[in-house]
Amino acid sequence: MPKEIILPAGTGKPLAPYVPATKADNIVYVSGTLAFDENNNVVHIGDAAAQTRHILETIKKVIETAGGTMDDVTFNHVFVKDWADYAAINTVYAEYFPGNKPARYCVQTGLVKADALVEIASIAHV
């Protein structure tokens, strides 16, 4: 099965050997996404809600580049640095998934950069 690399315009160089997303059989697999600028610097330091919004806007851009919309997201993997940010993350998250919500899980873990508070990876069927 051939796969297509999804690389939205303006995407910065990844920190490791991966791409923003791949598409195979109309399924888009979005890599773990953090609140990074084009130089891989964390933005909105200390603000979990703003980081979540930045991440979901980035995921939205990736999915749209692949030909889909946020309504096509079927599963999200959510990683939080601190449970104290859980409510703020969910408030923003709910704005992006107001109707039929995707399945998801959420775990607390360390993230690749110390100032990162949340990371989200997604699967969408487009």
Side-chain angles (χ1 to χ4, degrees):
M1 148 184 47
K3 68 179 177 183
E4 175 186 352
I5 302 302
I6 306 301
L7 193 63
T11 299
K13 184 178 180 202
L15 290 174
Y18 66 91
V19 294
T22 57
K23 181 178 176 182
D25 286 339
N26 294 321
I27 302 171
V28 180
Y29 301 91
V30 182
S31 293
T33 305
L34 294 112
F36 285 165
D37 65 15
E38 62 279 352
N39 297 312
N40 293 320
N41 296 308
V42 176
V43 296
H44 311 295
I45 293 172
D47 187 339
Q51 285 191 14
T52 302
R53 186 173 311 286
H54 185 96
I55 290 164
L56 290 170
E57 283 296 322
T58 301
I59 290 171
K60 180 179 175 185
K61 186 176 178 183
V62 169
I63 292 171
E64 287 174 349
T65 300
T69 70
M70 292 298 271
D71 286 337
D72 297 320
V73 174
T74 56
F75 196 87
N76 285 310
H77 314 266
V78 182
F79 307 92
V80 298
K81 184 174 182 177
D82 188 332
W83 285 122
D85 295 324
Y86 188 69
I89 291 164
N90 276 330
T91 297
V92 174
Y93 182 94
E95 294 173 17
Y96 285 82
F97 303 104
N100 292 327
K101 313 256 185 283
R104 79 172 200 186
Y105 66 77
C106 184
V107 296
Q108 180 182 15
T109 187
L111 299 174
V112 71
K113 291 232 181 169
D115 291 327
L117 302 175
V118 62
E119 178 175 350
I120 301 173
S122 299
I123 299 171
H125 291 251
V126 300

